Amino acid sequence: MVVELGAASCQRTGMALSTRPPDTARLGLLARWTYEHRRRVLLAWVIALVGLIAVALSVGSAFSSNFSAGNSPSQQAQNLLAARFPSQAGDTADIVVQTVTPLTRPVNAFRMARLVAAVRSLPHVTSVRSPLAAGAGGQLSANRRVGFAVVQFDATAEHLPASSVERVIDVARGFSTSGFTVALGGNPISQVVTASPGSSTGIGVIVAILIMLIAFGSVVAMGLPIITALVGVGMGFGVVDAVSHILTVPNFGTELMAMIGLGVGIDYSLFVVTRYRQLLSEGRDPREATMVAMATAGRAVLLAGSTVVISLLGLFVVQQPSMDGLAVGSIAAVLLVMAGALTLLPAMLGFVGHRIDRLHLPGLTPRVPTTPRGFWWRWSQTVMRRPWTCAAVMLAVLVALAVPLLSMHLGFSDAGNDPPNLTTRQAYDALARGFGPGFNGPLLIVTSQPAGSATAMAVVHDLDRRLRSVPDVAQVSPPEFSRTGDAAVIVAYPSTGPQAAQTVSLVAHLRSRVIPAAIAGTNVRVLVGGETAASIDVSSYLAGRLPWVIALVITLGFVLLLAMFRSVAIPVTAAAMNLVSIGASYGVIVAVYQWGWLGSLLGVSRTGPIDPWIPLMMFTIVFGLSMDYEVFLLSRIREEWNQDGANERAVVAGLAGTARVITAAALIMVCVFASFLINDPLRPVNIFALGLATAVFVDDTLVRMVLVPAIMRLLGRA
């Protein structure tokens, strides 16, 4: 875990700032200014931190998990509903009631009537259809012990005031007693009912503290990267809350920001502090050591952060509001922690000076090795002796890990994955027990036809008949016509849950076969809408944009490496290696969360699809991080090769000189990501965390330490 040798290599690698003395370089000049004006810099950061947090607390947040897909069929259905059925233009929610005795018993029926009347009178509620109302037989289970009332709001979930939805929840749950249990579900409820964040951030920080205590052996040296990262992440919370009022930011946006900010923030400051301590050991005074550290390791930080930001910019190609919000939040996190490493950290080094090793732990104070011929030198020699074997074995392992990727099913997690203590999960489970899982995701079949046309009316009724004969449809409600008769709505309940692959196939079957057969030769238009259909459309849209994002990010990385190394083989190899490592991480999350492998070990209670935004976010972030390690390693190899053109010696020296710092940095990042995997209640965050942790681990061990050196050896002068 000794990181000094690796950090010192920042000065010897291509990270060096051309031939100009470090103190005349721009980062050196910036470091000198922040060092000399450290009190002002520290005060400015404190004011900015307090100000952003104060603003965030005063304006609050406006998170919205609105993953819309432009003019999709489901959106067209929603627009048609708004035009022809103004009272049904908004979203609906379900009030699910479970009783010990049949709900039709007088005492239960009386309580149900009071509940419906109380909710109906609330703001933004246009109607409430009771399970005991005439014609609502489909809302009462066969044993009459589970029923659901349908609450119709006057706006879609993203436009409803959170306070109004919370009022509905409070009033409805106020009727819950022993033997009469009330739970609420539906998109408007999910927008305001979310699991409380776990202690993932705290666990990640604690693990990083332990790793850096072992690496530095000093509480002061360990504390500086932690403080810098926490300040950046703290400001990031304020930025994300503020951005949520301007852009669409999902309710898990803060967790993603914290995960990314902590991971890269600690790593960036780690490079600078390590270089600073090494310079002090050479006899430099604190001022000069700060300037040189920022001019060398600081440049590595600037390049690394810029690479991640450039990769994240690829998300704007998706042209989807929620992805824009996630991209802005992630970019803000990276920029803030990078700014902290380049300005706040030098100021704190000015306060610390030679006391960087104060409060050191006995026996853990690291020493700079006097010879490079340690473990990593011996390992690199092994790779050089057997490059074909190493490359073949590693490729086989990576391909095996990536195999599950071929069966990846993209789809949004439904409420059945919520923590059991949430009312949304309780409502989901009650509906599934009483009616079947498909009742948690009804499909709205919306028709448009000429008003008063007997032929069109017959077509609608024929469509209703055809829907009832589809095997995967559990129940169909009778058509409800608009006041003028120019539109109708049929509610079809699938036999499978909203996130099930069978439900996706059902929607495709209805759109491609059942509906065209029913309306052939007529002027009736039919659209499939509803929350479930909208999720399917968004998943399809995001899946279609993924290749464009991959192509753009890889092109940017290719141009960056081409400009740095003046070689075509190096960027081509780097792009291929990044694709292989990311493919392996995709395969792991599919195996765990979709297939259920190791599910009990990782706390996966229910398998399901992979949320479609995850592959997009994973690719951009992992590509940026892995490119940092790629540049770090290849710069060192190239510098050695420029000395005498000896390929094998250059690869050995490059790997031995950078392995420690890459391993230490990657280990911290893996532990931070893993903390969100084991201690965060949100399934999408768990999937994302496992994907990032796996990608960084695979990239640092199998790819960067074995596969890349082996391929560099085989490429020779190319």
Side-chain angles (χ1 to χ4, degrees):
M1 192 60 67
V2 180
V3 298
E4 273 75 358
L5 177 61
S9 65
C10 289
Q11 188 181 27
R12 301 192 304 268
T13 64
M15 302 293 181
L17 297 176
S18 68
T19 59
R20 299 165 61 190
D23 61 341
T24 64
R26 291 182 179 179
L27 284 176
L29 295 175
L30 175 63
R32 183 175 67 185
W33 189 90
T34 55
Y35 186 95
E36 294 174 348
H37 301 84
R38 48 188 176 273
R39 289 181 176 81
R40 296 181 187 177
V41 174
L42 181 60
L43 180 61
W45 274 94
V46 171
I47 292 174
L49 174 62
V50 174
L52 274 174
I53 293 178
V55 170
L57 292 175
S58 62
V59 302
S61 60
F63 298 125
S64 173
S65 299
N66 176 30
F67 286 89
S68 59
N71 194 34
S72 63
S74 57
Q75 184 60 51
Q76 295 175 38
Q78 183 64 38
N79 296 339
L80 186 57
L81 276 175
R84 308 291 175 84
F85 294 87
S87 62
Q88 298 184 24
D91 282 340
T92 62
D94 295 328
I95 302 176
V96 186
V97 176
Q98 297 180 86
T99 56
V100 175
T101 58
L103 189 58
T104 51
R105 291 280 183 91
V107 63
N108 292 331
F110 178 71
R111 184 175 291 273
M112 189 75 230
R114 288 179 56 215
L115 187 158
V116 169
V119 173
R120 186 182 290 134
S121 64
L122 296 177
H124 295 284
V125 175
T126 60
S127 67
V128 182
R129 188 171 68 246
S130 170
L132 302 179
Q139 295 171 225
L140 196 60
S141 66
N143 64 5
R144 300 181 182 276
R145 286 181 170 84
V146 181
F148 64 96
V150 180
V151 180
Q152 180 68 57
F153 289 98
D154 62 3
T156 53
E158 63 271 16
H159 296 117
L160 283 171
S163 58
S164 297
V165 179
E166 290 168 352
R167 180 65 177 152
V168 170
I169 297 172
D170 293 339
V171 170
R173 300 206 70 179
F175 286 88
S176 184
T177 63
S178 177
F180 190 97
T181 306
V182 179
L184 292 91
N187 195 32
I189 310 300
S190 298
Q191 291 286 337
V192 299
V193 175
T194 56
S196 300
S199 53
S200 307
T201 303
I203 292 178
V205 170
I206 291 172
V207 173
I209 287 174
L210 294 176
I211 294 174
M212 286 192 293
L213 273 178
I214 296 173
F216 288 137
S218 164
V219 174
V220 175
M222 170 276 299
L224 294 180
I226 296 294
I227 293 173
T228 305
L230 287 179
V231 169
V233 170
M235 295 177 65
F237 280 112
V239 171
V240 172
D241 282 354
V243 167
S244 68
H245 291 275
I246 305 172
L247 301 175
T248 301
V249 179
N251 50 24
F252 50 80
T254 52
E255 282 92 337
L256 260 62
M257 182 279 301
M259 187 190 311
I260 296 166
L262 278 178
V264 301
I266 294 175
D267 271 9
Y268 293 167
S269 298
L270 171 69
F271 290 140
V272 176
V273 172
T274 303
R275 182 72 178 114
Y276 174 80
R277 296 175 76 240
Q278 191 267 340
L279 290 166
L280 288 182
S281 69
E282 294 176 358
R284 310 282 186 110
D285 64 78
R287 179 177 177 276
E288 183 184 7
T290 301
M291 295 174 61
V292 175
M294 293 306 302
T296 53
R299 185 174 186 269
V301 169
L302 183 62
L303 177 62
S306 300
T307 304
V308 176
V309 169
I310 290 172
S311 297
L312 286 168
L313 290 174
L315 291 174
F316 289 103
V317 176
V318 179
Q319 297 181 336
Q320 205 277 337
S322 289
M323 294 305 300
D324 291 347
L326 290 176
V328 170
S330 301
I331 289 172
V334 175
L335 290 177
L336 285 168
V337 297
M338 182 172 66
L342 297 178
T343 59
L344 175 61
L345 183 57
M348 291 193 295
L349 290 175
F351 287 106
V352 171
H354 285 289
R355 297 186 295 275
I356 188 75
D357 288 325
R358 292 285 294 272
L359 303 177
H360 67 273
L361 303 182
L364 286 182
T365 302
R367 298 183 300 272
V368 179
T370 57
T371 172
R373 301 196 173 218
F375 169 79
W376 289 112
W377 185 87
R378 294 192 299 272
W379 171 254
S380 58
Q381 288 280 23
T382 301
V383 175
M384 293 303 99
R385 285 195 298 268
R386 300 178 179 84
W388 282 108
T389 302
C390 291
V393 171
M394 288 303 102
L395 279 175
V397 173
L398 291 170
V399 169
L401 290 174
V403 165
L405 164 64
L406 301 177
S407 64
M408 179 184 286
H409 166 45
L410 296 178
F412 287 94
S413 302
D414 59 31
N417 298 287
D418 290 349
N421 64 313
L422 293 189
T423 188
T424 50
R425 171 64 180 275
Q426 295 163 6
Y428 183 99
D429 292 342
L431 283 176
R433 285 193 299 266
F435 303 90
F439 274 70
N440 287 285
L443 303 175
L444 302 182
I445 315 299
V446 187
T447 73
S448 175
Q449 62 272 344
S453 170
T455 302
M457 300 282 276
V459 169
V460 173
H461 286 291
D462 178 59
L463 174 62
D464 175 62
R465 179 186 58 80
R466 290 173 182 266
L467 289 172
R468 295 176 188 276
S469 65
V470 176
D472 290 331
V473 175
Q475 182 175 304
V476 179
S477 68
E480 178 184 350
F481 290 89
S482 64
R483 186 173 55 184
T484 58
D486 61 347
V489 178
I490 303 173
V491 182
Y493 294 94
S495 58
T496 53
Q499 69 178 25
Q502 297 94 316
T503 304
V504 179
S505 300
L506 170 63
V507 172
H509 178 64
L510 294 180
R511 287 172 169 171
S512 63
R513 293 182 176 274
V514 177
I515 292 174
I519 64 175
T522 72
N523 54 0
V524 178
R525 181 187 180 207
V526 181
L527 297 165
V528 180
E531 183 183 345
T532 299
S535 296
I536 293 171
D537 289 342
V538 173
S539 298
S540 176
Y541 174 80
L542 293 180
R545 304 301 289 183
L546 180 59
W548 292 98
V549 173
I550 291 175
L552 175 63
V553 174
I554 287 181
T555 301
L556 292 174
F558 182 90
V559 172
L560 175 66
L561 291 181
L562 185 65
M564 289 187 66
F565 297 106
R566 303 294 193 272
S567 165
V568 175
I570 286 178
V572 168
T573 303
M577 294 304 97
N578 285 328
L579 286 175
V580 170
S581 62
I582 294 172
S585 63
Y586 283 172
V588 169
I589 62 175
V590 169
V592 173
Y593 285 95
Q594 190 175 315
W595 293 0
W597 290 8
L598 301 177
S600 58
L601 180 64
L602 296 176
V604 181
S605 59
R606 182 168 176 257
T607 59
I610 306 301
D611 292 70
W613 60 268
I614 292 178
L616 286 162
M617 288 291 294
M618 273 184 58
F619 184 84
T620 54
I621 294 172
V622 170
F623 190 90
L625 296 177
S626 61
M627 192 61 70
D628 297 343
Y629 296 146
E630 184 83 9
V631 170
F632 194 32
L633 173 61
L634 294 184
S635 296
R636 183 74 176 97
I637 292 176
R638 186 191 182 205
E639 186 219 347
E640 293 290 340
W641 185 84
N642 284 336
Q643 294 181 11
D644 54 17
N647 181 51
E648 182 174 345
R649 188 201 64 79
V651 175
V652 169
L655 179 58
T658 59
R660 286 184 178 89
V661 71
I662 291 178
T663 302
L667 180 59
I668 291 175
M669 206 170 292
V670 168
C671 291
V672 169
F673 294 153
S675 68
F676 285 83
L677 166 66
I678 63 176
N679 202 50
D680 196 287
L682 296 176
R683 180 178 186 269
V685 175
N686 297 156
I687 300 175
F688 189 63
L690 177 62
L692 289 183
T694 301
V696 173
F697 177 79
V698 167
D699 191 77
D700 176 52
T701 56
L702 304 184
V703 175
R704 216 60 57 201
M705 298 294 103
V706 182
L707 194 54
V708 169
I711 291 178
M712 293 297 293
R713 168 71 175 85
L714 295 173
L715 284 175
R717 293 189 61 83

